[in-house]
PDB file of all heavy atoms in Angstrom:
ATOM      1  N   PHE A 165      73.992 142.833  87.855  1.00 83.00           N
ATOM      2  CA  PHE A 165      73.564 142.528  86.489  1.00 83.00           C
ATOM      3  C   PHE A 165      73.500 141.023  86.267  1.00 83.00           C
ATOM      4  O   PHE A 165      72.558 140.507  85.652  1.00 83.00           O
ATOM      5  CB  PHE A 165      74.522 143.179  85.490  1.00 83.00           C
ATOM      6  CG  PHE A 165      74.153 142.953  84.050  1.00 83.00           C
ATOM      7  CD1 PHE A 165      72.998 143.492  83.510  1.00 83.00           C
ATOM      8  CD2 PHE A 165      74.967 142.179  83.230  1.00 83.00           C
ATOM      9  CE1 PHE A 165      72.650 143.271  82.185  1.00 83.00           C
ATOM     10  CE2 PHE A 165      74.632 141.953  81.906  1.00 83.00           C
ATOM     11  CZ  PHE A 165      73.472 142.507  81.382  1.00 83.00           C
ATOM     12  N   LEU A 166      74.509 140.300  86.775  1.00 81.00           N
ATOM     13  CA  LEU A 166      74.506 138.842  86.643  1.00 81.00           C
ATOM     14  C   LEU A 166      73.312 138.232  87.363  1.00 81.00           C
ATOM     15  O   LEU A 166      72.681 137.295  86.863  1.00 81.00           O
ATOM     16  CB  LEU A 166      75.809 138.276  87.207  1.00 81.00           C
ATOM     17  CG  LEU A 166      75.956 136.748  87.182  1.00 81.00           C
ATOM     18  CD1 LEU A 166      75.897 136.231  85.754  1.00 81.00           C
ATOM     19  CD2 LEU A 166      77.265 136.322  87.840  1.00 81.00           C
ATOM     20  N   ALA A 167      72.992 138.770  88.549  1.00 83.00           N
ATOM     21  CA  ALA A 167      71.828 138.266  89.291  1.00 83.00           C
ATOM     22  C   ALA A 167      70.541 138.467  88.497  1.00 83.00           C
ATOM     23  O   ALA A 167      69.689 137.578  88.440  1.00 83.00           O
ATOM     24  CB  ALA A 167      71.739 138.963  90.641  1.00 83.00           C
ATOM     25  N   LEU A 168      70.396 139.631  87.876  1.00 84.00           N
ATOM     26  CA  LEU A 168      69.202 139.897  87.068  1.00 84.00           C
ATOM     27  C   LEU A 168      69.115 138.949  85.875  1.00 84.00           C
ATOM     28  O   LEU A 168      68.026 138.461  85.534  1.00 84.00           O
ATOM     29  CB  LEU A 168      69.210 141.346  86.592  1.00 84.00           C
ATOM     30  CG  LEU A 168      69.030 142.415  87.683  1.00 84.00           C
ATOM     31  CD1 LEU A 168      69.181 143.812  87.089  1.00 84.00           C
ATOM     32  CD2 LEU A 168      67.678 142.276  88.365  1.00 84.00           C
ATOM     33  N   LEU A 169      70.247 138.668  85.250  1.00 84.00           N
ATOM     34  CA  LEU A 169      70.252 137.735  84.121  1.00 84.00           C
ATOM     35  C   LEU A 169      69.833 136.333  84.559  1.00 84.00           C
ATOM     36  O   LEU A 169      69.044 135.664  83.873  1.00 84.00           O
ATOM     37  CB  LEU A 169      71.640 137.683  83.489  1.00 84.00           C
ATOM     38  CG  LEU A 169      72.100 138.915  82.705  1.00 84.00           C
ATOM     39  CD1 LEU A 169      73.505 138.698  82.169  1.00 84.00           C
ATOM     40  CD2 LEU A 169      71.143 139.224  81.564  1.00 84.00           C
ATOM     41  N   LEU A 170      70.336 135.891  85.706  1.00 82.00           N
ATOM     42  CA  LEU A 170      69.992 134.552  86.185  1.00 82.00           C
ATOM     43  C   LEU A 170      68.528 134.469  86.623  1.00 82.00           C
ATOM     44  O   LEU A 170      67.870 133.445  86.436  1.00 82.00           O
ATOM     45  CB  LEU A 170      70.920 134.161  87.338  1.00 82.00           C
ATOM     46  CG  LEU A 170      72.382 133.913  86.963  1.00 82.00           C
ATOM     47  CD1 LEU A 170      73.190 133.502  88.182  1.00 82.00           C
ATOM     48  CD2 LEU A 170      72.488 132.840  85.885  1.00 82.00           C
ATOM     49  N   ILE A 171      68.016 135.558  87.210  1.00 84.00           N
ATOM     50  CA  ILE A 171      66.595 135.574  87.574  1.00 84.00           C
ATOM     51  C   ILE A 171      65.736 135.510  86.321  1.00 84.00           C
ATOM     52  O   ILE A 171      64.710 134.798  86.284  1.00 84.00           O
ATOM     53  CB  ILE A 171      66.273 136.838  88.394  1.00 84.00           C
ATOM     54  CG1 ILE A 171      66.926 136.752  89.774  1.00 84.00           C
ATOM     55  CG2 ILE A 171      64.764 137.011  88.548  1.00 84.00           C
ATOM     56  CD1 ILE A 171      66.753 138.001  90.603  1.00 84.00           C
ATOM     57  N   LEU A 172      66.143 136.241  85.272  1.00 85.00           N
ATOM     58  CA  LEU A 172      65.410 136.191  84.003  1.00 85.00           C
ATOM     59  C   LEU A 172      65.454 134.787  83.418  1.00 85.00           C
ATOM     60  O   LEU A 172      64.428 134.269  82.942  1.00 85.00           O
ATOM     61  CB  LEU A 172      66.020 137.196  83.024  1.00 85.00           C
ATOM     62  CG  LEU A 172      65.390 137.233  81.623  1.00 85.00           C
ATOM     63  CD1 LEU A 172      63.917 137.633  81.708  1.00 85.00           C
ATOM     64  CD2 LEU A 172      66.161 138.189  80.717  1.00 85.00           C
ATOM     65  N   MET A 173      66.619 134.156  83.475  1.00 84.00           N
ATOM     66  CA  MET A 173      66.746 132.791  82.987  1.00 84.00           C
ATOM     67  C   MET A 173      65.853 131.844  83.779  1.00 84.00           C
ATOM     68  O   MET A 173      65.170 130.979  83.207  1.00 84.00           O
ATOM     69  CB  MET A 173      68.210 132.358  83.078  1.00 84.00           C
ATOM     70  CG  MET A 173      68.488 130.935  82.580  1.00 84.00           C
ATOM     71  SD  MET A 173      68.308 129.672  83.862  1.00 84.00           S
ATOM     72  CE  MET A 173      69.681 130.068  84.932  1.00 84.00           C
ATOM     73  N   ALA A 174      65.826 132.000  85.105  1.00 83.00           N
ATOM     74  CA  ALA A 174      64.998 131.134  85.942  1.00 83.00           C
ATOM     75  C   ALA A 174      63.514 131.340  85.657  1.00 83.00           C
ATOM     76  O   ALA A 174      62.732 130.384  85.642  1.00 83.00           O
ATOM     77  CB  ALA A 174      65.287 131.407  87.413  1.00 83.00           C
ATOM     78  N   ALA A 175      63.123 132.598  85.418  1.00 82.00           N
ATOM     79  CA  ALA A 175      61.713 132.888  85.129  1.00 82.00           C
ATOM     80  C   ALA A 175      61.302 132.321  83.771  1.00 82.00           C
ATOM     81  O   ALA A 175      60.171 131.851  83.602  1.00 82.00           O
ATOM     82  CB  ALA A 175      61.481 134.395  85.169  1.00 82.00           C
ATOM     83  N   LYS A 176      62.223 132.348  82.801  1.00 83.00           N
ATOM     84  CA  LYS A 176      61.897 131.860  81.461  1.00 83.00           C
ATOM     85  C   LYS A 176      61.860 130.336  81.396  1.00 83.00           C
ATOM     86  O   LYS A 176      61.008 129.746  80.726  1.00 83.00           O
ATOM     87  CB  LYS A 176      62.930 132.385  80.456  1.00 83.00           C
ATOM     88  CG  LYS A 176      62.895 133.892  80.231  1.00 83.00           C
ATOM     89  CD  LYS A 176      61.662 134.312  79.451  1.00 83.00           C
ATOM     90  CE  LYS A 176      61.733 135.789  79.103  1.00 83.00           C
ATOM     91  NZ  LYS A 176      60.533 136.227  78.335  1.00 83.00           N
ATOM     92  N   THR A 177      62.789 129.698  82.089  1.00 83.00           N
ATOM     93  CA  THR A 177      62.914 128.242  81.990  1.00 83.00           C
ATOM     94  C   THR A 177      62.168 127.498  83.089  1.00 83.00           C
ATOM     95  O   THR A 177      61.752 126.349  82.888  1.00 83.00           O
ATOM     96  CB  THR A 177      64.400 127.836  82.049  1.00 83.00           C
ATOM     97  OG1 THR A 177      64.959 128.250  83.308  1.00 83.00           O
ATOM     98  CG2 THR A 177      65.178 128.513  80.922  1.00 83.00           C
ATOM     99  N   GLY A 178      62.029 128.124  84.263  1.00 79.00           N
ATOM    100  CA  GLY A 178      61.409 127.444  85.386  1.00 79.00           C
ATOM    101  C   GLY A 178      62.314 126.424  86.049  1.00 79.00           C
ATOM    102  O   GLY A 178      61.849 125.614  86.866  1.00 79.00           O
ATOM    103  N   TRP A 179      63.607 126.467  85.719  1.00 84.00           N
ATOM    104  CA  TRP A 179      64.536 125.491  86.289  1.00 84.00           C
ATOM    105  C   TRP A 179      64.821 125.764  87.760  1.00 84.00           C
ATOM    106  O   TRP A 179      65.061 124.843  88.531  1.00 84.00           O
ATOM    107  CB  TRP A 179      65.856 125.505  85.505  1.00 84.00           C
ATOM    108  CG  TRP A 179      65.729 125.012  84.098  1.00 84.00           C
ATOM    109  CD1 TRP A 179      64.685 124.299  83.576  1.00 84.00           C
ATOM    110  CD2 TRP A 179      66.668 125.184  83.037  1.00 84.00           C
ATOM    111  NE1 TRP A 179      64.901 124.017  82.260  1.00 84.00           N
ATOM    112  CE2 TRP A 179      66.122 124.548  81.886  1.00 84.00           C
ATOM    113  CE3 TRP A 179      67.905 125.810  82.922  1.00 84.00           C
ATOM    114  CZ2 TRP A 179      66.786 124.528  80.672  1.00 84.00           C
ATOM    115  CZ3 TRP A 179      68.568 125.782  81.700  1.00 84.00           C
ATOM    116  CH2 TRP A 179      68.011 125.154  80.590  1.00 84.00           C
ATOM    117  N   PHE A 180      64.833 127.036  88.148  1.00 82.00           N
ATOM    118  CA  PHE A 180      65.161 127.413  89.509  1.00 82.00           C
ATOM    119  C   PHE A 180      64.127 128.394  90.039  1.00 82.00           C
ATOM    120  O   PHE A 180      63.493 129.121  89.256  1.00 82.00           O
ATOM    121  CB  PHE A 180      66.558 128.047  89.581  1.00 82.00           C
ATOM    122  CG  PHE A 180      67.667 127.144  89.144  1.00 82.00           C
ATOM    123  CD1 PHE A 180      68.193 127.250  87.863  1.00 82.00           C
ATOM    124  CD2 PHE A 180      68.176 126.183  89.998  1.00 82.00           C
ATOM    125  CE1 PHE A 180      69.217 126.419  87.453  1.00 82.00           C
ATOM    126  CE2 PHE A 180      69.201 125.349  89.593  1.00 82.00           C
ATOM    127  CZ  PHE A 180      69.719 125.458  88.309  1.00 82.00           C
ATOM    128  N   PRO A 181      63.940 128.465  91.358  1.00 80.00           N
ATOM    129  CA  PRO A 181      63.052 129.481  91.948  1.00 80.00           C
ATOM    130  C   PRO A 181      63.640 130.874  91.739  1.00 80.00           C
ATOM    131  O   PRO A 181      64.857 131.047  91.666  1.00 80.00           O
ATOM    132  CB  PRO A 181      63.016 129.118  93.440  1.00 80.00           C
ATOM    133  CG  PRO A 181      63.632 127.764  93.542  1.00 80.00           C
ATOM    134  CD  PRO A 181      64.522 127.577  92.379  1.00 80.00           C
TER     135      PRO A 181
END
Side-chain angles (χ1 to χ4, degrees):
F165 181 66
L166 178 61
L168 292 175
L169 289 179
L170 291 181
I171 290 175
L172 178 62
M173 181 272 292
K176 293 289 187 180
T177 61
W179 293 344
F180 299 99

